[in-house]
Amino acid sequence: MTDTDPRAADLLAQRLHEAGCRHAFGMPGGEVLTLVDALERAGIAFHLAKHENAAGFMAEAAHHRDGAPAILVATLGPGAMNGVNVVANAWQDRVPMIVLTGCVDADEALSYTHQVMDHQAVFRPITKASFRLTPQGADIIADRAVCTAMAQRPGPVHVDVPISVADTRVSVKHRRVVSPPANAPVGAAIDDARAWLADARRPIALIGLDTLSDGSAQPVRKFLEEFRIPFVTTYKAKGLLPEDHPLCLGAAGLSPLADSHLLPLFAKSDLILCLGYDPIEMRPGWREAWDPELQRVIDIAAVPNDHYMHQAGINIVAPTGPALIALSDGISPNDTWPDQAPAATRSALAQAFPEDGEWGPAAIIAETRAVLPRETLATVDSGAHRILLSQMWRCYEPRGLIQSTGLCTMGCALPMAIGLKLAEPERPVISFSGDAGFLMIAGELSTAAEMGGNPIFLVFVDASLALIELKQRQRQMPNRGVDFARHDFASIGRAFGGHGHTVRNRSELRAALSEAMEADRFTVIAAEIERGAYDGLI
């Protein structure tokens, strides 16, 4: 080997660049300096965050815009452990993420224990695979990491990189797996499904996030419009078709109020189509929400059903688009839903989530959606506000609203907004956080200031873990461990170099949003609401 040969870390970085990666996020330590250097040399910018958990959410947001695997970089020991939450989130939210951790060499670990732990033992249960980089296998491990992360269903892959291996010079190799093209399904199952579609008069579709990762938006839209099938999406699939589409009934997942209108419509259906539907997003009310012995149900999914959340009469394991093309070939559309039940459900949902309130969380969401442009990208943190916003915030493109839906972790919205603004600086970007979730991650305002741009961070301020407090009251339990002090979030924003506003009515909110869109840097908007403001809304 010579000094002109690439390092093992270079082969890894080059493969990530070939996969479309242009951004990596994390916090460096001595054990990952070669990795960071290799990423930068390959054309992948390394962005410093203030915590590995936040770095992972920034990386996820960038992935949602460019489609390339997210990259999280963490040093050994505490750095790697700080990333566990966001890696578990990527596992449950089907996010292709390459998790790069530094580690000491195997011989060193025999007698040196400071900060040394078995990273692979920690990450294996929450990743699709965990690899330890070797000099001669660097190209294979890099390719396997990318292919495994992106394969259906996508998810995180961990690569532990020993210090000396990262620096080892290796011969240039480019061993790659060539993925076969997606084929349309054939056989008895698709024939039976075609017969069911031909007979259906009251069909309805439930669309999930598999359709985003397999690129099926256009064939799904063509299929639904051709056969005039009303549809519901999961929260993660919002915007697959614009939510002002006449067939759209909105999203479902966590709102008992929305379920009270949607589930009866599913009960009336004579054909339920689960299209790329991954039930990991759904609340218990959607467990066995239909009886496949009484209703015809077709499940088209990327992987076999091993979740037992629901059953189907016909299960087709295939990419959504090719499956729908095969399903619809030669079938004549019927007139659907002669009783106009979907239209009645759409009207009932609009009344259940009114937009004309004087003030409160629903009014804040409605006012913000009215003020901000159609092309705004949004993020939302976990909490009562997320359930309400996921019902009320209209999306007009896939991933127009991103959130943690599988793990439902707090503290994700602000760093996701930073990642979105970095990936698409010309687009308006806003995050919605509860005050508790915002406090978890407020230090990343410094990252927002350093990266530039003018993202908007809106905080619902009620000095309470509102969703947990609501559950306490529903169970007639005393108020314990859910209240905290009110803080001046607008001043926090200004202290980190941004703008800050406190608003208590629609006109103040409208003015703050208008000013934030024209601002030269980020803005924190603290929207103060009353305790118990979510009662009856979710």
Side-chain angles (χ1 to χ4, degrees), residues 372-424:
L372 296 185
R374 183 182 177 97
E375 68 271 18
T376 297
L377 301 174
T379 71
V380 63
D381 214 341
S382 289
H385 66 285
R386 178 175 82 94
I387 301 174
L388 183 61
L389 187 133
S390 295
Q391 297 300 138
M392 295 185 64
W393 185 267
R394 282 192 172 184
C395 291
Y396 305 105
E397 63 182 282
R399 299 185 173 100
L401 171 68
I402 59 175
Q403 55 188 290
S404 171
T405 51
L407 195 62
C408 296
T409 187
M410 294 174 68
C412 67
L414 188 154
M416 279 182 166
I418 294 173
L420 289 179
K421 195 66 178 179
L422 177 68
E424 295 208 33

Side-chain angles (χ1 to χ4, degrees), residues 116-205:
V116 174
M117 59 179 60
D118 189 343
H119 293 164
Q120 291 188 279
V122 173
F123 284 112
R124 277 195 187 100
I126 54 172
T127 59
K128 295 180 73 176
S130 178
F131 302 104
R132 187 179 179 92
L133 199 70
T134 64
Q136 297 309 311
D139 62 321
I140 295 175
I141 291 171
D143 190 59
R144 289 182 67 184
V146 170
C147 292
T148 302
M150 297 295 285
Q152 292 291 343
R153 287 177 168 134
V157 171
H158 170 237
V159 181
D160 217 16
V161 183
I163 298 170
S164 68
V165 171
D167 279 312
T168 300
R169 299 287 174 177
V170 296
S171 59
V172 178
K173 296 177 182 178
H174 293 285
R175 292 175 283 191
R176 301 284 183 267
V177 172
V178 178
S179 299
N183 295 317
V186 295
I190 198 70
D191 292 338
D192 291 343
R194 285 162 50 80
W196 286 9
L197 177 63
D199 288 344
R201 296 297 184 273
R202 297 184 307 281
I204 192 167

